[in-house]
Amino acid sequence: LQIFSQEYINLLLSMYFFVLGILALSHTISPMMNRFFPANFPNKQYQLLFTQGSGESKEEIVNYEFDTKDLVCLALSSVVGVWYLLRKHWIANNLFGLAFSLNGVELLHLNNVSTGCILLGGLFIYDVFWVFGTNVMVTVAKSFEAPIKLVFPQDLLEKGLEADNFAMLGLGDIVIPGHWALPFPYSLKKNTHTYFYTSFVAYIFGLGLTIFIMHIFKHAQPALLYLVPACIGFPLLVALAKGEVTEMFSYESSAEILPHTPRLTHFPTVSGSPASLADSMQQKLSCPRRRRQQSPSAM
């Protein structure tokens, strides 16, 4: 922002998130849209194949299978993308933001509580410093026209869909606590959801407290300042009450517990429709084969 014009930065970001948002939204709505297609829908299969080399040294770089239903989802997502590109409407922004958040929570997860505490503790300090210690976080959030945040119109009742006065919530404040809740799908392998629901309630409490403090002091607040103590404190209090603190910190979730949220410890070549992406990745991880080593920087 200090070196380049804000107009050019926003133009670059708009094109980048236009493409990325369409793909993310298409992947997100694909499982839901499959329920609305009639049984006699003419669904054809397609394959996008990109290889490197020839003969015995030929190697698959991209081998992506999709069908007509996926193309319909892609077309619907493209309509939202064009709407966002032309109007920058807050609804289109939020659709893309929610898609990014859901994909982020789906693709990566924390497999134990200790790792989650370290991550949340570090980001707690990070968020507090960049909001209260400098004006960088607020400046970026207000200056960048990109779906890196959810916006909530404060003048919705006055201006309707043309509202232009917004409160903002960064996507990191959704994704990071979302990762924290995932080690508790079945509470300590006891086939209950106690800790997951506790984390869910803790997030609602922490976010509500953030909004309350923001309105009291009329100043932007780092949401993780309130979300981190709530998301760690609530499950810890439940564990203390149940006498499961040691068990809680020694527990590790596995692929069997979380079949649809694989750990990206490898970077496999994935084939399949968007709806079966997670299953395909899990099958690749459970049945590894020799493949070209890829750099972690690909993330």
Side-chain angles (χ1 to χ4, degrees), residues 63-293:
N63 186 359
Y64 189 69
E65 297 176 358
F66 55 97
D67 53 30
T68 308
K69 294 179 180 179
D70 296 324
L71 292 177
V72 172
C73 293
L74 190 64
L76 293 175
S77 301
S78 298
V79 172
V80 177
V82 173
W83 184 23
Y84 168 77
L85 197 63
L86 297 179
R87 296 287 306 277
K88 295 293 192 303
H89 198 276
W90 60 272
I91 295 180
N93 175 92
N94 286 355
L95 288 175
F96 276 174
L98 289 172
F100 290 143
S101 299
L102 290 171
N103 278 273
V105 172
E106 177 187 1
L107 289 176
L108 294 171
H109 81 275
L110 305 171
N111 67 332
N112 60 64
V113 175
S114 300
T115 304
C117 289
I118 294 171
L119 177 64
L120 288 178
L123 289 173
F124 173 87
I125 299 172
Y126 170 91
D127 208 23
V128 171
F129 172 78
W130 286 108
V131 173
F132 288 150
T134 74
N135 63 348
V136 171
M137 193 77 78
V138 176
T139 301
V140 169
K142 291 182 177 180
S143 302
F144 282 2
E145 294 180 359
I148 57 175
K149 56 187 180 294
L150 297 185
V151 294
F152 304 93
Q154 296 176 316
D155 52 352
L156 180 64
L157 296 179
E158 301 175 12
K159 299 183 179 180
L161 297 180
E162 299 302 321
D164 54 11
N165 183 26
F166 301 104
M168 297 175 289
L169 178 67
L171 298 189
D173 299 324
I174 302 172
V175 176
I176 299 302
H179 289 319
W180 164 257
L182 285 178
F184 310 123
Y186 296 98
S187 297
L188 308 182
K189 296 184 178 180
K190 296 180 180 179
N191 294 328
T192 64
H193 293 82
T194 304
Y195 291 105
F196 179 83
Y197 290 140
T198 301
S199 299
F200 187 73
V201 172
Y203 183 84
I204 295 175
F205 172 81
L207 193 59
L209 183 60
T210 305
I211 296 172
F212 175 76
I213 297 296
M214 184 178 64
H215 280 287
I216 293 295
F217 291 98
K218 307 298 181 182
H219 187 276
Q221 298 293 316
L224 293 182
L225 173 62
Y226 310 97
L227 289 174
V228 169
C231 289
I232 294 179
F234 278 42
L236 190 58
L237 289 175
V238 172
L240 284 171
K242 295 168 67 70
E244 297 177 347
V245 176
T246 303
E247 192 176 357
M248 176 182 177
F249 278 91
S250 62
Y251 169 77
E252 287 192 8
S253 61
S254 63
E256 289 74 22
I257 300 298
L258 292 174
H260 299 294
T261 51
R263 301 172 211 158
L264 295 185
T265 54
H266 297 82
F267 298 85
T269 302
V270 178
S271 300
S273 66
S276 62
L277 177 61
D279 290 333
S280 299
M281 291 180 68
Q282 188 56 52
Q283 292 171 7
K284 294 285 185 178
L285 290 174
S286 60
C287 302
R289 58 181 176 84
R290 294 188 64 182
R291 57 185 177 272
R292 180 171 60 91
Q293 189 72 21

Side-chain angles (χ1 to χ4, degrees), residues 267 293-299:
F267 298 85
Q293 189 72 21
Q294 297 189 35
S295 169
S297 63
M299 289 185 66

Side-chain angles (χ1 to χ4, degrees), residues 1-14:
L1 286 174
Q2 293 178 347
I3 300 175
F4 300 101
S5 169
Q6 180 179 330
E7 179 184 356
Y8 295 123
I9 295 177
N10 283 327
L11 179 61
L12 178 64
L13 288 174
S14 295

